[in-house]
Each structure stands twice: as structure tokens, then as C-alpha cells.
Amino acid sequence: MKTIIAVLTLLFSPLLLAEQPTDRLDQSRQLALELQKALGAVLMPAMKNDGPIAAIAVCHEQAPEIAARISLPSGATVSRTALRVRNQQNQPNAQQQQILEQFLAQLQQDPTVAPESWQTHADGSQQYMKAIVMQPQCRACHGHSVKPEVLKAIQQRYPDDQATGFIVGDLRGAFVVSWPAQSSSND
Ligand code: HEC
């Protein structure tokens, strides 16, 4: 079953990207970018002014809220996931995990392009994913040698954290934009 899904994913995602450019796909790309910018806009000043421990608190409180705020007016659900998560709420479902594994392979082949995928499910719901690649500024909280006091602050809030040990260029995770099945009206 796993192999079938992997093969189908590989076969269909480039096709869907090439042949079915939809408004939702464009919108999904924008929503992912919006989430990325909104998170950066709170995280980076907090890091600069107050350091990583304070920034972890900011991220903990605000990341889910920011995602919810961006999701609401769009009709889609915008979130983040990863193969190794910090926040357990961000665990991928089986299909998202397949796509993350595909991104991992694609990124290894071509590190210059952040892979993306666009899926339409049998029930008409749709999902966009875009790889999130480790950057130098992420190392303080997701890198190999996270400072012990920072690690402690992470583990206090996320006792099951799996999201350290990444190097720049690694697949850190993905943005996910999920759309409900379209109603038969003109949207
Ligand atoms: C100040 C520490 C800090 C920095 C710097 C940081 N993160 Fe995170 N990251 C966190 C925390 C805390 C969470 C959990 C947020 C939550 O509760 O939703 C998180 C969650 C994530 C997630 C969601 C998946 C998961 O593991 O739960 C991704 C993806 C992610 N970070 C990527 C990045 C990237 C890429 C960068 C650099 C551009 C970065 N982070 C920089 C602290 C940080």
C-alpha cells in the first residue's frame, strides 16, 4: 500500500502541478508565504532583542495562533508539519509523511529548489505542501549544538521534542494548506 501511494504521489503531483493550475494552488502558495513571513516577523525580533529562550516562549504562544489567524479568512487550514516534530500537534498524517519523504529525496537530488506538492483527494478536498529548509538562523533552536539552557527551555514546553540535530539545507518540515471539498456553487 505504502509503495502504491508513493508511486501515485510521484506520478501525479508533477502532473497536477503542470495541468491543473487552480486558484487554490496560487492561493495556497500565498498562504504558505504569509505564514512564513508572519512567523519570521515575531520570531526574529524576539531572537535579536531577547535571545532564544524568550523567543521560544513567543513561538510557543504565537505560532499556533498565527496559523489560525491566517487560516480563518481563507477557508483553508494553514499549518506546519515535519518528519521530526517539536509540537506533537504538528505530526503528519500518513499521506503527509509520504510527501515529506518524497521532499527529502527531491531535496537531496536538487538542494536549490524547495519542493512543493498539490494533491486532490477522492472526496474533492485538496492539499498543498511546500518544503521548509533549514536556514542558519534556525540553528539556535533546531541545530546540532543547541545551548544547554535553550534545550532546557525547549524541553520544558515540549518534553517529546524531536526537532534538533538539523544542519543548514536539511528538510526541516513543510507548510500545509488544506482545502475542504469544493461545494457545487461557483466558488
Ligand atoms: C527561538 C527558537 C526557534 C527558532 C530560532 C526557530 N524555531 Fe522552529 N520552532 C520553535 C518552536 C518553539 C516550535 C514549536 C511551535 C509550536 O508550538 O507550534 C517550532 C516549530 C517549528 C516547525 C513546526 C514543526 C514542528 O517541529 O513542530 C517548523 C517547520 C520550524 N519550527 C521550522 C523552523 C525554521 C525553518 C526556522 C528558521 C527559519 C526556525 N524554525 C527557527 C523554535 C524555534
Side-chain angles (χ1 to χ4, degrees):
M1 188 60 187
K2 265 194 166 173
T3 334
I4 294 175
I5 295 175
V7 169
L8 285 178
T9 310
L10 279 171
L11 278 176
F12 285 123
S13 53
L15 272 181
L16 288 170
L17 276 175
E19 287 180 6
Q20 289 190 7
T22 62
D23 288 348
R24 278 184 166 184
L25 175 55
D26 284 345
Q27 243 181 303
S28 301
R29 289 182 171 132
Q30 274 164 23
L31 287 167
L33 201 62
E34 213 178 302
L35 179 57
Q36 181 178 19
K37 283 190 183 156
L39 288 170
V42 297
L43 194 59
M44 289 311 146
M47 281 287 281
K48 205 166 148 218
N49 301 331
D50 307 309
I53 295 179
I56 288 164
V58 170
C59 200
H60 176 73
E61 281 155 27
Q62 297 199 21
E65 266 175 40
I66 290 171
R69 195 186 69 211
I70 290 171
S71 300
L72 268 178
S74 67
T77 307
V78 187
S79 59
R80 292 182 301 171
T81 189
L83 290 168
R84 282 159 40 202
V85 295
R86 174 149 297 165
N87 185 334
Q88 295 303 313
Q89 311 256 339
N90 295 331
Q91 287 283 8
N93 64 27
Q95 191 206 29
Q96 290 164 350
Q97 185 169 341
Q98 294 276 351
I99 293 170
L100 284 163
E101 278 160 9
Q102 187 188 320
F103 283 176
L104 202 62
Q106 282 173 285
L107 208 55
Q108 266 163 7
Q109 275 183 350
D110 184 358
T112 63
V113 179
E116 55 177 358
S117 101
W118 175 245
Q119 312 273 328
T120 300
H121 304 128
D123 66 356
S125 61
Q126 292 173 305
Q127 177 187 266
Y128 171 78
M129 285 176 68
K130 167 101 189 264
I132 302 175
V133 180
M134 259 300 274
Q135 307 293 322
Q137 68 270 30
C138 321
R139 285 179 299 196
C141 300
H142 294 295
H144 258 291
S145 36
V146 177
K147 290 195 182 128
E149 64 271 24
V150 178
L151 212 51
K152 201 172 143 208
I154 292 171
Q155 275 158 1
Q156 273 170 0
R157 292 190 172 79
Y158 307 96
D160 301 319
D161 178 50
Q162 299 170 295
T164 57
F166 294 93
I167 58 169
V168 172
D170 275 353
L171 178 72
R172 170 60 193 92
F175 294 107
V176 182
V177 182
S178 303
W179 296 91
Q182 240 155 354
S183 60
S184 49
S185 60
N186 334 317
D187 54 352

